[in-house]
Amino acid sequence: MSAPVIWILIPLFTAALLLTIKSNRIVILVAGILTGALVFIAVVIPVDTPLGLGELSFKISPALYILGRRIMLTSADQPLLVMIYGAALLWFLVASAVGCGKKMIPLGLMVTAFLVSSLAVEPILYGSLLIEMAVLLSVPLVFSPGRDPGRGLLRFLLIQTLALPLLLFSGWLLAGIEANPGDQTLMLLAAVMLGLGFCLLLAVFPFSTWMLELVQDTPPCISGFILWSFPTAGLLYLTNFIERYTWLRSAPELPILLSAAGVLMLITGGILAIFQKHLGRILACAVMMETGLSLLILSLNSLAGIGLFFSLFVPRLVALLTWSLALTILGQHDLDPTFAATKGLVRHLPYTAAAIIITNLSLVGFPLFAGFPVRLAIISALRYPTGGIGFWIFIGSFGLGIAVIRTLNAFTRSPEGEVQGNREGVLHKITLGIGLALLCLAGLFPQWVALIMKQMPVIFQHIGQ
Amino acid sequence: MSAINWIIAILVFFITTGLLLSKDWRWVFGLLAAQYIAVAWLTFVSWSLPLAMVKLITGWTVCIILGMSQPALSRSSTFENGMSQSRFFRIVAAALFGLLSLALALRSAAWLGIDPSIIWGSFILMTLGLLHAGLSFQPMRLIISLLTLFSGFEILYASVENSLMVAILLSAVTLGLSLVGAYMINRYKEGTRE
């Protein structure tokens, strides 16, 4: 039994089987048990270490060989597997709570398995092919029958697919650079292609339009899952590249390019958020800013930076989950997620309104919420090496903050027509309450998040050296 | 051999331009099938015959999948309306991109170490595929443009990388694109019928 079989092939085949099952409950049950088991095994059983059960002895080997290439998951990758499959489990629970589990769970599991394989395959440039497979699987996930595919889905497909040839070809150029490190022309061409490929993959402005369009055309739970999975996978894939190639890691231009891209995403996300009237689009702007923040952290090129990089994931995940759940609840009450339709929301859906506001504040980096400690640490880390980047983080957060104020204004205005009182169900209140509690606890006790994430930097041990 | 490659590259230009101009899905998939024959030939220069045949079979399978997703409509059916006024623009744009790709191919041939006719065929497909994607947002047109772009990339990549796993994954991506296109068309029509 090898690690790639457990964490990639078994989820893939199980998800394919689940697609054929009509019973919603069985799908949710099987997927929940499988994903939970994958997390449990990643926590408890070390890879490549012989374990004894009485007279029996077994070992999970780290490698799987397919067609002359290797897929490798070592014990250092186990914390990452816990995070990825743990996140998937949470998304599936939310999806089952809001009634879109039948469609989302099998396809979401396949997408997750392909994204894990993209990080594990060697050579790493083949990971772009596996990310593309995940993109193609996202199409039936996002697409609703009887409707036009929508500009968001088509742009998502186009932009993510365009990244593939650039990344593959740059991989070939990188191999040439390793053989001939002095060739400056080759290095420049590889850097340009790699940079452009990652700009497309990470939706760096102006390739981020699909995010804003996708959230309008797609159920919030599914769009939230897409906005979590693909930027996270893209960032981890980029970090993998930086970890793998020494010349790339030691290039003096790399921190400048990463910080420029990060600042660009922060500013565009913040400015775009100011003018949005659709709550889903504000979420998409927040995701753009989060990706920009992650790129800024990577520009530090240090072990401390990698620790901060992973610290962002948990608050981001909880915020996205809670926000997606809240928007789904709005839809279940036949309310469009726009300012016009949500006037006076605090009166009849107070938990939902609170969830949207607080998750937004967390992503702004407001004190007491999950996003604040990490942002404070990031600004402190960025202040000394690179001057005024903290100022640009503030500008981006300020733009998102204005979106929060506008949202609060809409939610507290006098509603049109008769107010019906609190219409939220108990289950909705409980799930939203859990999300809000996690956001507050992570803000008050950030050391708990650090405790969960402290093993992660080991995966990218060469960065910063 | 080089002369034949140049002829194939010129044919690729005309086929891809035809894809850009055609309104009838029968013509489109016929041209796409012809395009894949040209792609297989240009790939055969770098790869073995079995691998090149994989490209051809994958391409024809793609054409069959996409063709089957089209409803059985009358002979005058199209899958895009309103194109006639932009035909002249498309022809001129295709010609410009063809010349641009020729110039780039001649410049990069020595550096890449590949026959310029192969590079030109590849660049034609990639540039006209991008042009095609930029001119329409119909799902089927987008899929065809991505398939065209991918075909061009596969020709170039075949010259520098001959890994079996990459060949299989690229074929899987090509088939995946066609299945996605067929899925979108069929599910849209099923939903509207319901």
Side-chain angles (χ1 to χ4, degrees):
Chain A
M1 181 66 73
S2 66
V5 168
I6 295 173
W7 280 291
I8 297 170
L9 294 184
I10 288 177
L12 269 176
F13 288 128
T14 310
L17 277 173
L18 289 177
L19 280 171
T20 62
I21 294 174
K22 290 186 179 175
S23 168
N24 205 16
R25 281 190 186 175
I26 294 175
V27 168
I28 294 167
L29 197 63
V30 170
I33 291 171
L34 174 69
T35 321
L38 291 173
V39 172
F40 179 75
I41 295 170
V43 170
V44 168
I45 302 177
V47 172
D48 207 17
T49 303
L51 293 171
L53 283 172
E55 289 182 4
L56 295 172
S57 167
F58 74 95
K59 186 175 86 162
I60 300 176
S61 63
L64 177 70
Y65 292 88
I66 299 177
L67 300 168
R69 301 297 181 210
R70 192 169 67 166
I71 300 178
M72 191 86 169
L73 286 170
T74 64
S75 54
D77 297 319
Q78 286 182 268
L80 194 61
L81 291 170
V82 171
M83 186 188 82
I84 292 173
Y85 279 106
L89 179 62
L90 290 173
W91 278 109
F92 296 160
L93 287 173
V94 168
S96 54
V98 300
C100 61
K102 175 78 171 67
K103 183 182 175 187
M104 182 174 153
I105 289 173
L107 290 168
L109 193 54
M110 285 176 131
V111 166
T112 306
F114 270 115
L115 293 177
V116 168
S117 63
S118 73
L119 302 172
V121 71
E122 289 177 7
I124 57 171
L125 62 98
Y126 293 173
S128 53
L129 283 159
L130 296 164
I131 291 176
E132 178 61 18
M133 298 299 288
V135 168
L136 293 174
L137 281 167
S138 301
V139 171
L141 181 60
V142 169
F143 180 63
S144 300
R147 296 178 60 180
D148 267 335
R151 289 198 301 183
L153 175 59
L154 296 178
R155 283 184 187 179
F156 168 67
L157 182 62
L158 175 66
I159 288 171
Q160 297 288 309
T161 306
L162 283 177
L164 169 60
L166 290 165
L167 290 172
L168 272 182
F169 203 72
S170 65
W172 173 72
L173 292 172
L174 289 169
I177 289 168
E178 284 194 310
N180 187 12
D183 192 337
Q184 295 292 325
T185 312
L186 202 63
M187 284 175 84
L188 182 62
L189 190 61
V192 167
M193 295 193 83
L194 200 61
L196 197 53
F198 274 110
C199 283
L200 289 161
L201 195 68
L202 293 172
V204 176
F205 183 82
F207 304 117
S208 53
T209 52
W210 64 264
M211 286 185 172
L212 293 152
E213 302 280 350
L214 192 76
V215 290
Q216 280 193 283
D217 304 331
T218 313
C221 202
I222 294 173
S223 58
F225 177 73
I226 299 286
L227 290 179
W228 157 258
S229 301
F230 284 94
T232 304
L235 286 166
L236 290 170
Y237 190 55
L238 171 65
T239 317
N240 237 350
F241 257 90
I242 298 172
E243 158 83 2
R244 167 68 179 83
Y245 294 103
T246 311
W247 71 268
L248 186 64
R249 204 160 59 234
S250 56
E253 294 85 3
L254 179 69
I256 299 168
L257 290 170
L258 285 173
S259 56
V263 165
L264 183 63
M265 289 194 81
L266 273 168
I267 294 172
T268 50
I271 291 173
L272 284 173
I274 294 172
F275 301 103
Q276 301 306 324
K277 296 179 184 176
H278 188 286
L279 297 168
R281 288 172 72 100
I282 297 174
L283 170 66
C285 293
V287 170
M288 282 168 61
M289 289 176 58
E290 285 287 308
T291 308
L293 207 56
S294 296
L295 290 173
L296 274 178
I297 296 169
L298 283 178
S299 72
L300 289 173
N301 203 8
S302 66
L303 278 174
I306 284 294
L308 288 173
F309 175 75
F310 283 109
S311 297
L312 269 178
F313 285 139
V314 170
R316 184 184 304 167
L317 171 66
V318 177
L320 279 176
L321 277 166
T322 312
W323 201 329
S324 300
L325 179 61
L327 292 184
T328 308
I329 292 170
L330 281 181
Q332 288 176 348
H333 286 91
D334 295 322
L335 289 170
D336 286 334
T338 57
F339 288 168
T342 53
K343 275 186 198 171
L345 193 71
V346 290
R347 290 176 174 81
H348 54 276
L349 294 174
Y351 279 75
T352 308
I356 293 170
I357 296 293
I358 289 174
T359 52
N360 207 339
L361 286 172
S362 174
L363 290 169
V364 167
F366 202 76
L368 293 184
F369 299 121
F372 175 70
V374 185
R375 273 162 180 75
L376 190 62
I378 291 166
I379 291 171
S380 302
L382 285 169
R383 192 178 57 204
Y384 294 111
T386 47
I389 286 186
F391 170 73
W392 296 113
I393 297 175
F394 171 75
I395 292 291
S397 297
F398 183 71
L400 194 59
I402 292 179
V404 177
I405 293 169
R406 294 182 71 213
T407 308
L408 196 55
N409 177 47
F411 286 178
T412 52
R413 288 181 109 169
S414 300
E416 288 158 8
E418 197 182 315
V419 177
Q420 294 178 3
N422 194 333
R423 295 192 279 156
E424 282 162 328
V426 173
L427 182 63
H428 291 161
K429 287 180 185 173
I430 291 171
T431 46
L432 288 171
I434 291 171
L436 293 176
L438 285 172
L439 284 173
C440 294
L441 285 172
L444 292 170
F445 304 106
Q447 61 272 24
W448 293 356
V449 176
L451 202 67
I452 298 167
M453 294 305 202
K454 69 175 182 179
Q455 306 274 352
M456 297 287 202
V458 175
I459 308 166
F460 304 111
Q461 54 191 317
H462 294 124
I463 292 180
Q465 294 178 3
Chain B
M1 185 74 156
S2 185
I4 296 173
N5 292 341
W6 280 109
I7 293 168
I8 298 291
I10 292 167
L11 279 174
V12 162
F13 172 72
F14 285 113
I15 290 168
T16 320
T17 307
L19 274 175
L20 204 55
L21 299 173
S22 297
K23 293 193 285 183
D24 191 336
W25 64 266
R26 295 166 187 83
W27 274 102
V28 167
F29 296 126
L31 287 168
L32 196 63
Q35 182 179 282
Y36 275 108
I37 296 173
V39 167
W41 175 270
L42 293 175
T43 313
F44 174 52
V45 174
S46 315
W47 279 359
S48 62
L49 183 62
L51 278 181
M53 285 296 108
V54 166
K55 288 272 177 261
L56 180 62
I57 291 165
T58 306
W60 283 358
T61 309
V62 158
C63 296
I64 290 168
I65 291 170
L66 291 175
M68 283 171 66
S69 72
Q70 299 302 310
L73 298 175
S74 65
R75 291 189 73 81
S76 60
S77 67
T78 64
F79 63 86
E80 182 158 347
N81 296 319
M83 271 180 60
S84 51
Q85 67 271 25
S86 64
R87 273 196 163 179
F88 179 70
F89 168 75
R90 287 171 188 239
I91 292 169
V92 170
L96 284 172
F97 274 94
L99 287 170
L100 173 68
S101 49
L102 178 62
L104 285 172
L106 293 171
R107 273 187 80 99
S108 54
W111 175 72
L112 284 170
I114 306 169
D115 190 63
S117 58
I118 308 291
I119 302 178
W120 189 38
S122 161
F123 281 5
I124 284 171
L125 287 165
M126 287 197 278
T127 51
L128 292 189
L130 270 175
L131 176 66
H132 201 165
L135 291 177
S136 172
F137 247 133
Q138 233 195 10
M140 193 51 64
R141 285 272 179 207
L142 181 68
I143 297 293
I144 289 168
S145 63
L146 286 174
L147 288 169
T148 305
L149 187 144
F150 241 74
S151 307
F153 170 73
E154 283 178 328
I155 294 169
L156 193 64
Y157 203 63
S159 310
V160 301
E161 171 77 53
N162 56 6
S163 159
L164 180 62
M165 188 175 185
V166 168
I168 288 172
L169 284 173
L170 285 172
S171 295
V173 169
T174 305
L175 282 170
L177 274 170
S178 67
L179 287 170
V180 156
Y183 177 83
M184 284 197 284
I185 296 294
N186 282 322
R187 291 294 275 168
Y188 172 69
K189 290 189 188 310
E190 269 177 33
T192 49
R193 252 184 262 132
E194 283 163 17

